Amino acid sequence: MATDLSSLLNASKNLTSHLSRPDLPTVNLSLDQVEALSRRLVSRQPGTSTDSDKANYLLAQAHVDAPALSNSIAHLNTSTTFSPLQPLQDTDVAGYLRIAHEQNLISTIEEARKETQEEFYRVLEERSQKDWEAKKKRVFEELGPRIGSSGGDRAVAELRASTTHGKGGLGPATTPSLTLQMQGKMMAYDRVIIDLNNSRLRGTSFPIVHALKDASLSVASDSRSIQITQNFDILAKITAEPPALPPIEHAGAHILNAPLFERKFARTYLGDPESREASSLRRQIAKGAREALEGQYFDILERTIQARPMEARLGGDPSVANRVRAFLAVRYYRNGEWEDRIELVAGQPLWAKLFYLVRIGHGEDALSEAMRFQQAIESREASFVNHFRTWIESPERKLPKTHRDHLQAIYNAHMLHSSTADPFKLALYKLMGKLEPSRRSVPQVTTTTEDWLWFQLAMVDEDEDGGLRALADVLLGYGERHFDGPANQAGSRRGVWAGVLLMCAQFERAVAALWEHPETEVEAVHLAIALAYHGLLRIPSRAETSDMTPLSLSPASPPALSLSTMIWRYVRQFVKMDAKEALQYVYCTTLSADQGNGVGKEQVEISWELTRRIIVLANGGPAWEELVGGIRAEGGKFPGVIEQGASLLHLNDAQDFHSHILIRAAHHAQENDRINEAIKLYNLAEDYSTVVSCLAQALGNTISQSSPDEKAKNIEKTASEILRHYERANRAVGREREAVVRLLRIREAIEAKSRGRPELSLEIMESTDLIPLSGDMAKTTRRAEEFRDLHESLQKNLQTYLTLTMDALAGVHQKVKSSMVADATKQMTLQSIRKKSRSLMVFAGILKYRMSPDVYSYLARLDVEIAL
């Protein structure tokens, strides 16, 4: 072969011998090597775009005929070129193969590098987008409920602002349909929360998961919404929550006999994950998830039979085995024959029948079917029925090791590499023996996501291969895109990923998966509440809670979810209009009050903080007193909703309610210049001295207004009502209450003056005894010295009531002068007025340093007019 190639090479050279140029050396390099050398030479120069003369000169130094080879090089495909360390002859076949192999390796590495780079940037873009959406959402929340990250949020806020929750009409006709759907969904779910809290107040259990499942069914708008209902069904099976409580004979018996739901799993779930109890809980979770998938598939089986009755040929036999037979006929029977690889035993697809009976959760029916055809089965698979019986009757669906080893041997010998083995028989062997747990799919069996998940859960063994936690790691490796698809993908089933996470006990991640999408935020909040109620939610400490996302992930600890963060972001959309409903959700933050390491105590304190926020944001609206309580007309107090549910906030007595809720909310309202609300809250908290202090301060700030605004009028009305009750009960006696009385009298005098009744205004001011008008210099001087002992609100309004009194004197003086009374009486009255005016000016002169020159000049001018 080498000789033939050498002869061929010599012959090829002779073909161009007449074209050779003796002035240039012979080139003994292949075209690949020539091209590589030329590129290497050019790359060493400072610029690659040189003229052709320089390029030819450089190549000539390397003994290359550039003009003769340029045409050939231009037509070369250099995408896979590789320059060897040693010159390669054209006859070196082994060298060529080696180089081609190396080129393939380099190409593979480059493609892998490009794929990794593209995946990295894709994940980075997704994560950046999620972070941006979270930041944008938080900014919108801080700006207020009417500015939302989506039109739906704005619509909800607008709709709630236009109608009372649960009452009245549906708002403007222009409200988008999405708004109505969201409103209906929120109302359906918050009724469940109200019922939950009523049960907690009574000390009874409540089937919250089933109630939420029913609510989700009532608001399901399309086929994709059913996934949320299925998620609640999965949780109901995991928690083994019954759909309804036993009938109530009498309250005591009900409390004693009812199952305990609240925080049932908290101690185990939050405790040592390696404990026996934790392992048992994971078994229950896997079993419950598997049973939920079995129930869902049974519904699919029923719908399939009903949709195609002619192919099913169900007949009059209502048994489950016959229904499975009919389903198999619809699914796998075509044109008078069964699909390939479906093995018939006793004339029917028995392996598929047994598998699907197990798949829909009817193991006993599957065992009965196997016993019925035991002889036919044993003729093909000896000892299968005995193994199958042991497996079905095992509480954990687990065979002894000797049985599993036997099944492994049969599987390896007859099925593992067989191309004709019945896939359902293969699946049954894998399930019974838990064979090849790393190979997670069975062709023709695990065809859907639900089938695949059921198979994984049926294969889980807590004593081997990591159990449910190992399965969770595998599923987390797949990620959300594998199950839900991209967020913008049409027809994607939102919520599948959350259901997957529920099945593998990743409860916090499941809630976060729903929370990340606006269309499932409502369900996320209520799923979190249900999990917390059953004790299957881990709450982070305040130090671990993130401002961007409620989910806290740390390599050193399991995932945790801030329920309080989610609840507040949810209720702030409607807290101003529906404060009572918002409060019902805040009650749920204390569900985790029993969590250790101080987290439970933090949750109680957070619930108090959120309650105070609701009080402040309710803004003194019509339902505000219904929320916090109030004072009846006859003087007695009536409790509000918060006080009635104080036990849910872990407020042990009235003192706790006053100190943790009312007084601190009053402080906040006072700091935000909402004095009227602050005064009412202090009054409800029975802090009477602070009430009159706030009243005095508030009246002192508004008394100088000639035409008081609505805020000032409300304060004066509140002050009058409270003062009337305090005088009757003899509360808060002292300088501050006296200041409130005088300030209210000053307001009456101002109103009398504005109505054109200066004599009444003067009479009222004289009754306050703030200004000495008797003309007694000693008394006037003493009053001026005592001025510093007056309440601050009265001191700073000196100019107001001095001017008011002088105006009243001037008005009375003018009336008397123009009156038609007898001269003697008129002169006596005028003299009295001049005396009072003079006394006022003496008093003002002593305190001149406390008023502006303009005010004193005004008083002096009026005094002169009165004296004339």
Side-chain angles (χ1 to χ4, degrees):
M1 183 67 180
T3 304
D4 294 340
L5 292 175
S6 299
S7 300
L8 183 61
L9 177 62
N10 293 328
S12 65
K13 289 181 178 180
N14 291 332
L15 291 174
T16 58
S17 60
H18 64 285
L19 299 176
S20 62
R21 296 171 61 182
D23 56 325
L24 291 175
T26 302
V27 177
N28 293 320
L29 300 174
S30 68
L31 292 178
D32 290 350
Q33 292 170 318
V34 170
E35 194 273 342
L37 286 171
S38 66
R39 289 183 179 277
R40 187 178 302 170
L41 288 170
V42 173
S43 64
R44 292 175 182 173
Q45 303 306 313
T48 58
S49 300
T50 59
D51 53 53
S52 58
D53 292 339
K54 290 183 178 180
N56 291 337
Y57 175 75
L58 292 171
L59 291 173
Q61 287 183 332
H63 308 289
V64 176
D65 186 0
L69 298 175
S70 59
N71 187 47
S72 298
I73 294 173
H75 291 83
L76 287 176
N77 180 11
T78 61
S79 61
T80 58
T81 57
F82 178 75
S83 178
L85 297 176
Q86 299 295 330
L88 182 66
Q89 298 298 324
D90 291 341
T91 57
D92 189 356
V93 176
Y96 171 78
L97 294 175
R98 186 185 75 253
I99 292 172
H101 176 67
E102 293 173 351
Q103 287 178 333
N104 288 336
L105 289 177
I106 291 173
S107 298
T108 302
I109 293 171
E110 177 63 17
E111 289 176 4
R113 185 193 67 81
K114 288 178 64 178
E115 289 178 1
T116 302
Q117 184 178 9
E118 290 173 358
E119 179 68 11
F120 168 78
Y121 284 114
R122 185 189 64 78
V123 173
L124 180 63
E125 177 66 20
E126 285 184 356
R127 185 58 184 268
S128 300
Q129 185 66 23
K130 283 185 178 181
D131 289 346
W132 162 241
E133 290 296 334
K135 290 179 181 178
K136 184 170 65 173
K137 182 177 179 181
R138 184 164 177 264
V139 168
F140 283 138
E141 288 171 351
E142 293 298 327
L143 290 176
R146 294 187 66 85
I147 303 177
S149 58
S150 65
D153 289 341
R154 280 197 300 273
V156 172
E158 291 169 1
L159 183 59
R160 283 186 174 270
S162 63
T163 180
T164 303
H165 188 69
K167 302 176 183 177
L170 296 177
T174 57
T175 302
S177 59
L178 176 62
T179 301
L180 301 178
Q181 293 175 2
M182 184 67 73
Q183 173 76 355
K185 181 192 292 187
M186 297 172 80
M187 289 175 61
Y189 281 115
D190 67 26
R191 282 192 289 268
V192 175
I193 301 304
I194 292 171
D195 292 341
L196 167 68
N197 288 324
N198 288 336
S199 294
R200 294 173 64 197
L201 284 172
R202 293 193 302 266
T204 60
S205 292
F206 180 72
I208 182 173
V209 183
H210 283 88
L212 292 174
K213 177 183 173 181
D214 294 341
S216 69
L217 278 173
S218 68
V219 297
S221 56
D222 52 37
S223 58
R224 286 184 293 169
S225 303
I226 202 66
Q227 181 61 47
I228 299 299
T229 303
Q230 291 177 349
N231 288 347
F232 285 124
D233 182 60
I234 291 169
L235 184 57
K237 290 292 193 299
I238 286 174
T239 58
E241 181 187 278
L245 293 174
I248 301 178
E249 297 179 1
H250 57 85
H254 178 58
I255 294 173
L256 292 174
N257 298 330
L260 177 63
F261 296 166
E262 186 170 350
R263 308 300 289 172
K264 178 180 179 180
F265 304 105
R267 183 175 180 181
T268 302
Y269 183 74
L270 301 174
D272 182 8
E274 303 299 332
S275 67
R276 182 182 303 174
E277 292 79 8
S279 178
S280 177
L281 176 59
R282 288 192 292 271
R283 288 191 181 93
Q284 177 178 333
I285 292 170
K287 179 183 178 183
R290 191 180 71 244
E291 289 176 351
L293 291 173
E294 291 167 355
Q296 293 172 17
Y297 202 84
F298 186 77
D299 293 339
I300 293 173
L301 183 144
E302 290 284 353
R303 290 198 301 269
T304 303
I305 295 173
Q306 293 173 9
R308 299 163 70 176
M310 297 302 294
E311 298 175 46
R313 298 180 182 178
L314 185 60
D317 183 4
S319 66
V320 176
N322 188 49
R323 291 178 180 276
V324 171
R325 191 274 312 157
F327 174 76
L328 292 174
V330 172
R331 184 66 68 87
Y332 299 108
Y333 193 71
R334 296 287 185 278
N335 301 321
E337 60 182 16
W338 294 93
E339 288 186 4
D340 293 341
R341 298 183 63 185
I342 299 294
E343 182 181 347
L344 299 181
V345 179
Q348 60 177 304
L350 190 59
W351 302 116
K353 194 174 183 181
L354 294 178
F355 174 82
Y356 276 107
L357 284 169
V358 174
R359 174 67 179 87
I360 62 175
H362 288 262
E364 294 298 329
D365 292 306
L367 180 58
S368 298
E369 200 72 7
M371 297 297 294
R372 178 183 168 198
F373 295 96
Q374 181 173 6
Q375 185 175 356
I377 294 173
E378 295 289 350
S379 65
R380 303 190 182 205
E381 298 293 339
S383 72
F384 172 84
V385 176
N386 290 332
H387 292 313
F388 191 65
R389 181 195 296 112
T390 305
W391 182 65
I392 290 292
E393 293 175 351
S394 170
E396 297 181 6
R397 290 281 174 91
K398 184 177 180 180
L399 292 176
K401 189 176 186 308
T402 54
H403 290 231
R404 294 170 62 185
D405 291 342
H406 185 209
L407 290 174
Q408 181 76 66
I410 297 173
Y411 179 80
N412 292 341
H414 303 293
M415 302 178 196
L416 181 58
H417 302 293
S418 174
S419 60
T420 60
D422 188 305
F424 297 102
K425 179 169 68 173
L426 187 147
L428 286 170
Y429 269 86
K430 283 178 67 71
L431 288 173
M432 290 191 297
K434 299 191 185 298
L435 309 178
E436 295 185 302
S438 59
R439 296 181 64 177
R440 300 182 177 275
S441 298
V442 179
Q444 295 182 256
V445 176
T446 55
T447 55
T448 67
T449 298
E450 289 77 8
D451 290 333
W452 185 87
L453 286 169
W454 178 86
F455 201 83
Q456 310 313 308
L457 292 166
M459 293 281 287
V460 162
D461 187 346
E462 278 302 314
D463 299 325
E464 299 177 14
D465 301 316
L468 191 61
R469 288 178 290 181
L471 176 60
D473 292 339
V474 172
L475 295 173
L476 290 173
Y478 288 138
E480 181 176 7
R481 289 172 61 90
H482 187 84
F483 295 94
D484 276 358
N488 57 356
Q489 178 178 316
S492 60
R493 289 194 301 161
R494 187 66 58 216
V496 174
W497 176 235
V500 170
L501 293 170
L502 282 176
M503 293 181 204
C504 61
Q506 295 292 311
F507 302 121
E508 295 82 8
R509 295 180 190 267
V511 174
L514 292 176
W515 180 255
E516 287 180 356
H517 304 286
E519 65 269 30
T520 54
E521 280 185 356
V522 177
E523 289 82 0
V525 172
H526 295 87
L527 178 62
I529 291 173
L531 287 166
Y533 181 69
H534 281 281
L536 293 173
L537 194 72
R538 182 175 286 101
I539 306 296
S541 65
R542 279 195 168 185
E544 297 171 329
T545 303
S546 170
D547 291 335
M548 299 308 302
T549 173
L551 183 66
S552 298
L553 298 175
S554 171
S557 58
L561 189 88
S562 177
L563 178 61
S564 59
T565 299
M566 291 180 61
I567 283 177
W568 180 247
R569 292 184 182 179
Y570 178 70
V571 303
R572 67 178 299 162
Q573 301 176 83
F574 55 87
V575 63
K576 289 189 176 181
M577 294 303 300
D578 295 328
K580 290 193 299 180
E581 280 74 11
L583 183 65
Q584 294 293 328
Y585 285 90
V586 171
Y587 287 153
C588 296
T589 59
T590 59
L591 285 170
S592 300
D594 58 351
Q595 188 168 329
N597 298 325
V599 175
K601 183 179 179 182
E602 287 180 349
Q603 293 306 299
V604 172
E605 293 173 351
I606 289 172
S607 72
W608 297 343
E609 180 182 340
L610 297 184
T611 303
R612 294 192 295 267
R613 286 189 199 175
I614 290 176
I615 292 173
V616 174
L617 289 175
N619 200 22
W624 190 76
E625 286 192 350
E626 190 177 355
L627 190 69
V628 299
I631 305 295
R632 294 188 178 92
E634 64 273 14
K637 285 172 48 177
F638 61 87
V641 176
I642 299 176
E643 190 170 2
Q644 292 170 3
S647 61
L648 298 180
L649 296 172
H650 289 243
L651 299 169
N652 300 320
D653 49 35
Q655 184 60 38
D656 281 352
F657 174 62
H658 293 166
S659 60
H660 294 304
I661 305 298
L662 294 181
I663 291 178
R664 295 187 64 178
H667 282 320
H668 191 279
Q670 188 176 4
E671 290 170 357
N672 288 273
D673 196 30
R674 295 169 60 176
I675 302 300
N676 201 39
E677 287 85 356
I679 290 168
K680 290 182 178 180
L681 290 170
Y682 281 127
N683 188 41
L684 291 171
E686 301 178 358
D687 190 355
Y688 304 124
S689 60
T690 304
V691 170
V692 293
S693 177
C694 287
L695 284 173
Q697 182 180 356
L699 290 171
N701 292 336
T702 60
I703 205 70
S704 60
Q705 298 177 8
S706 57
S707 298
D709 55 19
E710 193 65 29
K711 178 181 177 181
K713 290 179 180 178
N714 288 334
I715 291 174
E716 290 167 9
K717 179 182 177 183
T718 302
S720 299
E721 293 174 353
I722 290 178
L723 197 63
R724 186 168 58 252
H725 296 313
Y726 283 13
E727 288 175 346
R728 186 184 305 142
N730 197 28
R731 291 173 179 160
V733 178
R735 187 170 68 105
E736 290 177 330
R737 196 180 85 174
E738 185 63 29
V740 174
V741 173
R742 286 176 166 178
L743 288 166
L744 288 176
R745 296 290 286 167
I746 292 172
R747 170 55 63 193
E748 292 177 18
I750 293 173
E751 291 176 355
K753 176 198 164 190
S754 66
R755 294 196 304 268
R757 300 187 60 185
E759 66 282 355
L760 178 59
S761 178
L762 179 61
E763 180 183 344
I764 293 172
M765 286 307 303
E766 286 186 279
S767 69
T768 63
D769 201 24
L770 286 170
I771 305 170
L773 300 177
S774 62
D776 186 344
M777 285 297 300
K779 184 177 181 180
T780 301
T781 304
R782 186 170 64 254
R783 279 297 171 79
E785 293 174 351
E786 294 172 352
F787 180 79
R788 68 172 64 91
D789 298 327
L790 290 176
H791 193 271
E792 180 186 355
S793 61
L794 292 171
Q795 292 187 40
K796 70 179 182 181
N797 281 288
L798 172 66
Q799 297 181 160
T800 300
Y801 56 79
L802 279 177
T803 305
L804 172 64
T805 306
M806 185 61 82
D807 286 340
L809 288 169
V812 173
H813 179 266
Q814 187 65 29
K815 274 191 173 186
V816 172
K817 284 186 69 175
S818 59
S819 67
M820 302 298 294
V821 298
D823 287 343
T825 304
K826 180 186 295 186
Q827 290 301 323
M828 288 180 61
T829 306
L830 291 175
Q831 184 65 29
S832 174
I833 293 172
R834 293 189 187 102
K835 180 180 178 182
K836 292 177 180 179
S837 174
R838 191 70 253 162
S839 179
L840 186 149
M841 286 305 301
V842 172
F843 181 74
I846 299 173
L847 299 175
K848 184 178 180 180
Y849 67 94
R850 288 183 174 269
M851 65 184 73
S852 66
D854 293 341
V855 172
Y856 188 78
S857 298
Y858 177 76
L859 295 175
R861 186 171 68 253
L862 288 182
D863 180 58
V864 171
E865 292 178 0
I866 291 173
L868 294 177

